[in-house]
Amino acid sequence: MFGLLMSAVAPETSMHVMTYNIRYGSANDRENAWPHRREDLLTRVSEANADLIGVQEAEHSQIKELKALLPFHQLVGKGRNDGKTKGEYSGLFVDTRVWSVGETGMF
């Protein structure tokens, strides 16, 4: 869990939000494994052009792919196993062209 304080860069800004359960990449899901879902997910995220994107069950390698796809988004969140990069993330990507991230915290 985490807390997030953010404010709009411009007044009267609306927010476009997206959430996606990534499903961790190391799962043995046969035809639903990450290599088979990857392109569809990245396309959907790119086309959504969302200001705020919530992800669940994302592993660090998947987070890195999303970061590369979202150069204007700041990640808020960390891996649950070590508070850094190990384990699943329940993170938020915030578009810093529209929103300014203030304080964040994990608990």
Side-chain angles (χ1 to χ4, degrees), residues 50-68:
D51 302 322
L52 186 65
I53 304 167
V55 297
Q56 302 86 41
E57 295 188 29
E59 291 179 329
H60 188 66
S61 60
Q62 294 164 305
I63 290 291
K64 286 177 21 181
E65 289 188 68
L66 287 166
K67 279 179 153 180

Side-chain angles (χ1 to χ4, degrees), residues 1-61:
M1 299 290 296
F2 54 86
L4 170 69
L5 175 64
M6 53 188 224
S7 60
V9 173
E12 300 179 25
T13 301
S14 62
M15 180 185 284
H16 183 188
V17 177
M18 174 184 199
T19 184
Y20 215 113
N21 186 325
I22 301 292
R23 177 81 171 137
Y24 56 98
S26 60
N28 184 11
D29 291 336
R30 296 186 203 87
E31 68 274 359
N32 294 317
W34 177 244
H36 304 293
R37 295 181 287 115
R38 180 184 174 277
E39 286 303 317
D40 181 58
L41 180 137
L42 295 176
T43 298
R44 288 174 188 251
V45 169
S46 179
E47 290 176 352
N49 196 31
D51 302 322
L52 186 65
I53 304 167
V55 297
Q56 302 86 41
E57 295 188 29
E59 291 179 329
H60 188 66
S61 60

Side-chain angles (χ1 to χ4, degrees), residues 44-106:
R44 288 174 188 251
V45 169
S46 179
E47 290 176 352
N49 196 31
D51 302 322
L52 186 65
I53 304 167
V55 297
Q56 302 86 41
E57 295 188 29
E59 291 179 329
H60 188 66
S61 60
Q62 294 164 305
I63 290 291
K64 286 177 21 181
E65 289 188 68
L66 287 166
K67 279 179 153 180
L69 181 70
L70 302 165
F72 300 107
H73 286 68
Q74 176 182 340
L75 173 67
V76 177
K78 298 176 182 181
R80 72 175 177 179
N81 291 0
D82 67 353
K84 296 177 186 172
T85 61
K86 303 256 188 276
E88 299 169 22
Y89 288 63
S90 289
L92 288 172
F93 287 91
V94 180
D95 189 336
T96 57
R97 295 171 296 181
V98 181
W99 299 96
S100 174
V101 175
E103 296 179 39
T104 65
M106 304 287 289

